[in-house]
Amino acid sequence: MGTSLDQVDDLRSWLELVNELGELKVVEGAHWDLEIGAASDVNYRRTSPSALLFDRVVGYSQGARVLSGSMSNARRLGLTLRLGTDLDDRALVQALRSKPNQWIENAPRHRARVVDSGPVLENVDHADAVDLLKFPVPRWHEGDGGRYIGTGCAVFTTDPNTGEVNAGAYRMQVQDDGRAVSVNIEAGKHGAMHVREWFAKEGRAPVTASLGQDPLLLIVAGTEVPRDLSELDYAGAVLGRPVDIIRGEVTGLPIPATAEVAVEGWLYPDRKADEGPFGEWTGYYSGGSEQILTMDVERVYYRNDPILLGAPPGKPPHDYSYMRSVMKSAMIHDALVSTGLAGLEGVWAHEVGGGRQLLAVSVHQRYAGHARQAGHLTAQLPAAAYMNKLVIVVDGDVDPRSLNDVMWAVCTRTEPGRDIDVQRYTWGSRVDPLREPGAPPYNTRAVIDACRPFERLAGFPRVAETSRELRDQVLAKWPDVLG
């Protein structure tokens, strides 16, 4: 009897189903220093990457494992989002349309549920026994400044006044020979606001972090959801049931009850350590090394034979670039629909830009200025604004998912002197390789109108392309040759 989708309630049952689907490969004997990262990088660049489970890591006993590539194809991402186990790219995008808005609406009906116990409590190490290097923490990239235990993680913070919970996917580097961990939170992120508010109110900030869990929690932690909504409740809406959590012994903050490994402790304004460099999602070691807030770890919770969930970035495609592209595309599409924009055909956040920097929007033009309106709206939507650099608007006959088709439209329908608008001093990132060291993280973005001129829609040259009907005819006639 196989594992069904509705039986998936933690990372282990997720792995069971992925293995039954033939999507999992076990790698034994890899070294934590670079070999896990290198094998993962090679895997991402395959046409259909597998999920890789590293066991018998050099220097560690059997059962201490690391997972990478969890959601690097449509089938496993569809499974994780509980949309099905047989979806291809196009079917996944179709299945996701309108889903983010539904999950936002349903989240209050699936609030996280506090339970008294869970598998994560099988082992609990107190402050004097903390050693994060008892787990096979990888050094993922050759230029990394250390070992990163938190890449596929969910870091939990709260608003000190309201108790509102936020989950963010903030990278975490092991410090102090395994006794501490830095938490690298971008200044504009929700978690950073919570930390600043705690510092102002109490002089320290409570934090918990799950370092191995149902990959769904990585998706919601790494995706912008409305600030008045808990990512745990959002995940509950995806699941159709509440996420079970325990309360940390020290801070009272949530920890997923079925997590593989979790840490709990405090951040202090003056407790910092050198962090980085790290291979960033832009494809560069662009963040450098900085003094970053470092957690005094007071508890480590972990299951027997725990599994770390790895999701290291790097030059795209990387571990979560496919997931980010799909999720951002769906969220931006829904956000544009909610603005009332007419004629929207599709949206795609291209993987080559890490799912953020290059957005393509397809519209059926209905009035003069329609294409430009779509571009400028997209560029500043909350779901799209962070680190966006290029928004390309194409006609409804162009597939926004095809970078070849999008750039063909740019080459043949864009008059650069007229059709490229520039927005300045927009929301950038300190990991942007173009940012000057020490400069504020602004960026500049371009809105490119790659649509046929509205005034020439009727008379613009026809596309020299086989019609869909004729294509279907020849496919049916010679399926063995052309299929």
Side-chain angles (χ1 to χ4, degrees):
M1 190 73 174
T3 306
S4 64
L5 189 56
D6 59 7
Q7 293 174 315
V8 175
D9 59 2
D10 64 359
L11 182 55
R12 299 188 186 203
S13 53
W14 184 95
L15 281 168
E16 288 176 6
L17 181 52
V18 168
N19 186 47
E20 291 169 11
L21 294 172
E23 295 273 329
L24 179 68
K25 291 185 177 179
V26 176
V27 180
E28 296 189 343
H31 202 289
W32 60 263
D33 192 12
L34 299 181
E35 286 190 341
I36 291 176
S40 299
D41 186 45
V42 170
N43 179 53
Y44 308 143
R45 298 177 192 284
R46 297 170 61 234
T47 302
S48 183
S50 301
L52 299 185
L53 185 62
F54 295 89
D55 200 355
R56 299 182 185 271
V57 176
V58 174
Y60 292 87
S61 60
Q62 183 179 6
R65 293 159 288 173
V66 180
L67 175 67
S68 71
S70 57
M71 295 173 287
S72 51
N73 72 7
R75 197 177 195 190
R76 294 195 301 280
L77 182 54
L79 181 165
T80 304
L81 292 168
R82 280 44 175 193
L83 296 173
T85 59
D86 58 353
L87 301 177
D88 60 16
D89 289 346
R90 190 173 295 276
L92 178 58
V93 172
Q94 290 296 326
L96 264 174
R97 285 193 174 177
S98 80
K99 284 294 185 182
N101 278 347
Q102 292 177 23
W103 292 331
I104 290 170
E105 181 181 345
N106 292 334
R109 295 194 285 273
H110 299 285
R111 296 193 186 280
R113 177 173 54 202
V114 179
V115 295
D116 294 330
S117 64
V120 73
L121 295 176
E122 288 175 349
N123 304 275
V124 182
D125 291 349
H126 290 233
D128 56 353
V130 167
D131 178 13
L132 295 176
L133 294 180
K134 73 193 304 177
F135 310 111
V137 180
R139 184 163 75 100
W140 291 100
H141 314 103
E142 290 162 280
D144 285 356
R147 299 171 70 173
Y148 281 81
I149 195 169
T151 52
C153 56
V155 179
F156 298 97
T157 59
T158 60
D159 184 308
N161 301 306
T162 67
E164 174 190 80
V165 175
N166 180 73
Y170 313 127
R171 74 184 192 223
M172 304 174 71
Q173 180 181 336
V174 174
Q175 304 284 358
D176 196 17
D177 297 323
R179 291 183 289 272
V181 62
S182 53
V183 186
N184 194 322
I185 309 178
E186 286 269 356
K189 296 295 186 178
H190 202 184
M193 298 177 190
H194 284 169
V195 169
R196 289 193 296 270
E197 290 167 1
W198 274 100
F199 285 172
K201 185 174 182 178
E202 293 197 13
R204 65 178 185 173
V207 176
T208 57
S210 175
L211 307 170
Q213 65 284 317
D214 184 332
L216 174 63
L217 291 180
L218 171 59
I219 293 178
V220 299
T223 303
E224 287 84 356
V225 300
R227 285 189 172 171
D228 58 350
L229 186 68
S230 166
E231 283 81 0
L232 287 169
D233 300 346
Y234 187 86
V238 177
L239 294 170
R241 56 172 173 77
V243 174
D244 286 343
I245 59 170
I246 63 164
R247 294 290 185 188
E249 294 178 358
V250 177
T251 66
L253 265 63
I255 296 169
T258 60
E260 296 284 328
V261 184
V263 293
E264 177 184 25
W266 301 90
L267 299 175
Y268 295 87
D270 59 351
R271 176 80 160 91
K272 295 183 178 182
D274 287 335
E275 193 266 0
F278 185 62
E280 309 281 1
W281 61 268
T282 56
Y284 297 86
Y285 299 99
S286 50
S289 178
E290 298 183 46
Q291 287 271 301
I292 295 297
L293 291 170
T294 298
M295 181 196 296
D296 284 346
V297 180
E298 297 200 17
R299 296 287 188 277
V300 181
Y301 308 87
Y302 55 100
R303 299 177 69 160
N304 297 327
D305 297 328
I307 306 167
L308 294 176
L309 177 58
K315 179 183 176 183
H318 56 68
D319 192 289
Y320 60 82
S321 56
Y322 178 77
M323 177 272 286
R324 170 67 55 71
S325 289
V326 172
M327 290 302 297
K328 296 301 288 184
S329 299
M331 295 180 78
I332 294 166
H333 186 280
D334 280 0
L336 283 172
V337 169
S338 70
T339 68
L341 180 73
L344 179 63
E345 173 65 23
V347 176
W348 191 251
H350 281 271
E351 198 169 356
V352 71
R356 292 190 184 276
Q357 296 180 287
L358 174 58
L359 309 177
V361 181
S362 176
V363 296
H364 297 283
Q365 293 186 74
R366 295 185 180 174
Y367 45 84
H370 188 182
R372 209 65 58 97
Q373 178 192 33
H376 283 276
L377 276 173
T378 302
Q380 293 296 346
L381 288 169
Y386 174 65
M387 196 49 178
N388 167 248
K389 285 193 173 179
L390 298 165
V391 176
I392 303 175
V393 187
V394 295
D395 287 299
D397 66 325
V398 176
D399 180 1
R401 292 182 61 253
S402 168
L403 192 57
N404 183 79
D405 287 4
V406 169
M407 294 312 298
W408 167 75
V410 171
C411 291
T412 61
R413 301 181 184 184
T414 298
E415 173 53 56
R418 186 190 76 168
D419 293 330
I420 300 177
D421 293 341
V422 176
Q423 298 181 356
R424 304 182 188 278
Y425 294 100
T426 49
W427 188 13
S429 170
R430 62 185 180 80
V431 303
D432 186 343
L434 290 171
R435 183 180 73 99
E436 292 291 340
Y442 294 120
N443 77 355
T444 299
R445 61 198 57 180
V447 175
I448 302 175
D449 183 348
C451 294
R452 295 164 295 175
F454 180 77
E455 61 274 18
R456 294 185 59 197
L457 283 179
F460 203 78
R462 292 175 56 196
V463 176
E465 181 178 43
T466 302
S467 67
R468 182 176 297 276
E469 293 75 17
L470 183 54
R471 189 184 309 121
D472 291 344
Q473 178 182 323
V474 297
L475 281 170
K477 190 170 185 176
W478 294 289
D480 295 337
V481 177
L482 302 175

